Amino acid sequence: MTDQRHDKEFEAFLAGESELDERYAELGREEPSSELDAQILAEARNAAKVHRLKFGPRGGWLKPVALAATVILSLSLVMNIVVDTPVRVEQIVTESTQEPARLDAEQTVSRRQQQKIRLFEQRSMSEVEEITVTARKQKDNEPRSQDGIMMDVPKSVSASAPEAMAQTTDLDAALLIVSEYVAAAVSGRVEADAMARRFMLKEEHAQAAAPGLAAADRATAASDYLQSEDNPEQLLRNIERLNISGASTEAGALLDEFLLRYPDHPVSVKIHRQDY
Amino acid sequence: MTRNTDDKVLMVRYRQGEVVAFESLYARHKGPLYRYFLRQGFGTESSAELMQEVWMKIIRAKDRYEPTAKFTTYLYQLAHNCLVDQYRRSAHKLAQKMDDADIDVAQLPATTANPEADALRNESTQQFRAALANLPDEQREAFILKQEAELSLADVAYVTGVSTETAKSRLRYAFSKLRQQLAENESSS
């Protein structure tokens, strides 16, 4: 009975209708001082002023513009991803299916490149020796001035050397040029076959004036070579003609060049460098 | 600014820079909040400082205010945190008696023409004040939140960070002790 009465009174208290509520109200309704009110309200005004400066009429455009920029950037990014995704998948699938063929092709190219470099190295070394000997001969025959500076090279001597050496009057400089060629070829920085072709042309020009072969034949061969750069059959004919005319060195050089350019082209046994 | 404008709306308007909205909000809640601290046993000065601290927090955090819950629960949650911090700082005990010097006589209800009745009522008020001060910390806070802030049981629980059942239990104990104390005072007088 007492508990029930207590519960009812408590319910009345929760509803704000008990005697305790009246007694509590008698405690009074104290208020903070007016100074404190003024202080707090001043702080509130200052904070609102700062807010107006940041987001007011002047700064009000910042937030929407920033939001719009963010949305546009995000959308463009998403659109790019969506547009790119199928292509990328397609590419991946295509690449994965083509991967073995591509690897084979790369290996073939790599083998050809290595073969070219090897051939060029062999040839370059022999040329180095040849150029060195020629330059040494020039040096021995060349009259020296009193202070040791080389005089002008006679035309007959310079014409017998490769064109690259034609203007070179110093043995060390000649060696430097040749060694640079070799180093560049070995390091793969210079296209091997392009170098070889350039070197070959120079040599042909120089050899045109050399004894032992009709100058007209050599000039014709060099000219033919220039004109038939993209014609393997013509090149083979040139090689054969040079071989028949007795210029086996030149024919061998041309054959090397030919093999560099057309490693898979059939070459007859007659032309093949068994005689070089 | 009408009297019925929701506290949340006022706070949102103040967030947008409307000072008048804050003035209305402050006018509504300054008294109950001040008395919330005062009835806990703090003097007028400490109560004023704590109240200022709470309002400063509201002012500084206005840009982050989201009208998800009732403004009153938001306000008294801040007040509760300040109260707890104050206890930690000063090792103040809620059971500490209020200093009589802190009682603002001018704020007490107006006296009547009957001096005997006034004296009796003042005595009764002092007894009730003493009984309130003697309550345990949590029970007194729950009681004052209910009386001053007019919070529901659920809101009292939310503000103090306890379950509704715990809040109800605290209020029930506070109610019982105060009623018992008043009955004893009446019988003795």
Side-chain angles (χ1 to χ4, degrees):
Chain A
M1 188 70 183
T2 311
D3 285 345
Q4 283 180 351
R5 188 181 161 208
H6 185 269
D7 286 345
K8 278 185 182 174
E9 286 178 0
F10 182 65
E11 291 300 323
F13 165 70
L14 289 179
E17 296 163 355
S18 72
E19 186 192 349
L20 270 183
D21 294 301
E22 291 171 16
R23 299 297 297 272
Y24 185 83
E26 286 174 6
L27 290 178
R29 299 184 68 81
E30 299 93 332
E31 295 282 329
S33 65
S34 53
E35 289 85 4
L36 183 62
D37 291 348
Q39 206 175 335
I40 291 170
L41 290 174
E43 288 288 340
R45 276 186 211 102
N46 287 338
K49 212 177 285 178
V50 172
H51 182 276
R52 275 198 296 274
L53 285 173
K54 277 164 74 178
F55 304 104
R58 283 184 184 175
W61 55 273
L62 276 173
K63 212 171 182 178
V65 167
L67 187 67
T70 309
V71 168
I72 289 168
L73 285 172
S74 307
L75 275 178
S76 61
L77 189 68
V78 168
M79 290 299 286
N80 273 336
I81 290 168
V82 169
V83 169
D84 283 356
T85 306
V87 177
R88 282 180 187 160
V89 170
E90 214 168 74
Q91 281 175 349
I92 290 164
V93 170
T94 313
E95 280 170 7
S96 64
T97 53
Q98 291 176 348
E99 193 68 11
R102 192 174 62 81
L103 285 173
D104 288 348
E106 278 178 2
Q107 284 171 356
T108 309
V109 170
S110 178
R111 274 200 301 275
R112 287 178 187 174
Q113 194 71 19
Q114 284 173 359
Q115 191 183 5
K116 282 180 182 179
I117 291 170
R118 204 163 41 242
L119 283 167
F120 183 71
E121 279 173 11
Q122 289 169 1
R123 212 172 140 248
S124 296
M125 290 310 293
S126 63
E127 282 164 0
V128 167
E129 288 169 6
E130 188 183 339
I131 291 165
T132 308
V133 169
T134 311
R136 191 165 288 143
K137 281 178 185 171
Q138 286 175 17
K139 196 174 181 181
D140 292 343
N141 296 331
E142 193 63 27
R144 285 178 177 275
S145 64
Q146 286 185 348
D147 56 359
I149 298 171
M150 296 292 285
M151 303 295 282
D152 289 341
V153 180
K155 284 183 180 176
S156 59
V157 176
S158 68
S160 63
E163 193 181 20
M165 305 296 298
Q167 302 301 319
T168 308
T169 56
D170 193 309
L171 177 63
D172 295 335
L175 285 171
L176 186 64
I177 290 169
V178 175
S179 62
E180 278 177 358
Y181 260 39
V182 174
V186 170
S187 64
R189 281 177 297 177
V190 179
E191 189 73 24
D193 56 353
M195 277 184 61
R197 196 182 317 135
R198 200 160 66 243
F199 215 88
M200 180 73 72
L201 285 170
K202 289 171 186 171
E203 193 178 340
E204 281 174 357
H205 275 289
Q207 292 289 339
L213 179 65
D217 288 343
R218 289 181 184 280
T220 306
S223 174
D224 288 348
Y225 170 73
L226 283 171
Q227 289 170 3
S228 61
E229 269 194 324
D230 296 326
N231 188 345
E233 297 303 329
Q234 184 64 40
L235 275 172
L236 286 174
R237 275 197 295 279
N238 288 343
I239 292 166
E240 195 172 357
R241 195 166 57 193
L242 283 169
N243 198 21
I244 291 166
S245 64
S248 57
T249 309
E250 290 81 1
L254 268 181
L255 184 60
D256 285 342
E257 165 66 13
F258 181 84
L259 289 172
L260 281 168
R261 292 183 64 187
Y262 307 105
D264 298 330
H265 196 279
V267 179
S268 69
V269 179
K270 193 169 68 177
I271 294 176
H272 218 284
R273 59 178 309 180
Q274 54 186 351
D275 299 323
Y276 309 133
Chain B
M1 206 68 60
T2 61
R3 176 71 193 169
N4 294 326
T5 309
D6 189 11
D7 288 343
K8 287 192 282 190
V9 175
L10 290 175
M11 190 59 198
V12 170
R13 284 185 189 172
Y14 174 58
R15 191 181 65 186
Q16 292 164 351
E18 203 175 314
V19 182
V20 183
F22 181 83
E23 286 171 356
S24 299
L25 205 59
Y26 179 73
R28 276 184 202 180
H29 295 283
K30 65 172 184 174
L33 184 64
Y34 176 70
R35 290 191 291 274
Y36 166 80
F37 288 116
L38 200 63
R39 303 274 190 263
Q40 304 288 347
F42 294 105
T44 51
E45 200 175 327
S46 298
S47 299
E49 282 174 9
L50 288 167
M51 189 187 83
Q52 189 177 18
E53 194 179 330
V54 173
W55 284 111
M56 287 300 112
K57 282 184 179 178
I58 289 172
I59 290 168
R60 287 186 200 120
K62 69 178 182 349
D63 294 331
R64 297 192 299 275
Y65 174 75
E66 292 296 333
T68 49
K70 278 167 67 178
F71 176 77
T72 318
T73 54
Y74 171 63
L75 176 71
Y76 282 96
Q77 204 173 21
L78 291 175
H80 171 76
N81 293 338
C82 283
L83 188 70
V84 171
D85 290 344
Q86 179 65 15
Y87 288 155
R88 285 176 187 153
R89 279 198 296 264
S90 62
H92 180 90
K93 297 293 179 191
L94 275 180
Q96 184 182 333
K97 302 278 186 183
M98 279 179 65
D99 186 355
D100 286 344
D102 282 338
I103 298 168
D104 189 352
V105 178
Q107 298 291 343
L108 290 173
T111 56
T112 62
N114 189 342
E116 282 185 12
D118 287 346
L120 196 65
R121 196 171 64 181
N122 282 342
E123 190 185 344
S124 168
T125 304
Q126 292 302 325
Q127 284 170 349
F128 185 77
R129 206 186 292 272
L132 188 63
N134 280 329
L135 284 176
D137 302 351
E138 298 84 5
Q139 292 175 21
R140 182 176 46 249
E141 191 189 11
F143 182 82
I144 293 170
L145 280 171
K146 190 257 168 201
Q147 293 298 121
E148 285 295 345
E150 298 176 355
L151 296 183
S152 65
L153 260 179
D155 288 342
V156 169
Y158 180 79
V159 165
T160 53
V162 294
S163 67
T164 310
E165 284 304 310
T166 305
K168 188 174 183 179
S169 172
R170 284 176 180 177
L171 270 177
R172 186 185 285 276
Y173 276 114
F175 170 77
S176 301
K177 284 176 185 172
L178 285 174
R179 207 169 59 101
Q180 188 181 350
Q181 189 70 43
L182 288 177
E184 284 173 7
N185 291 340
E186 281 173 8
S187 62
S188 64
S189 62

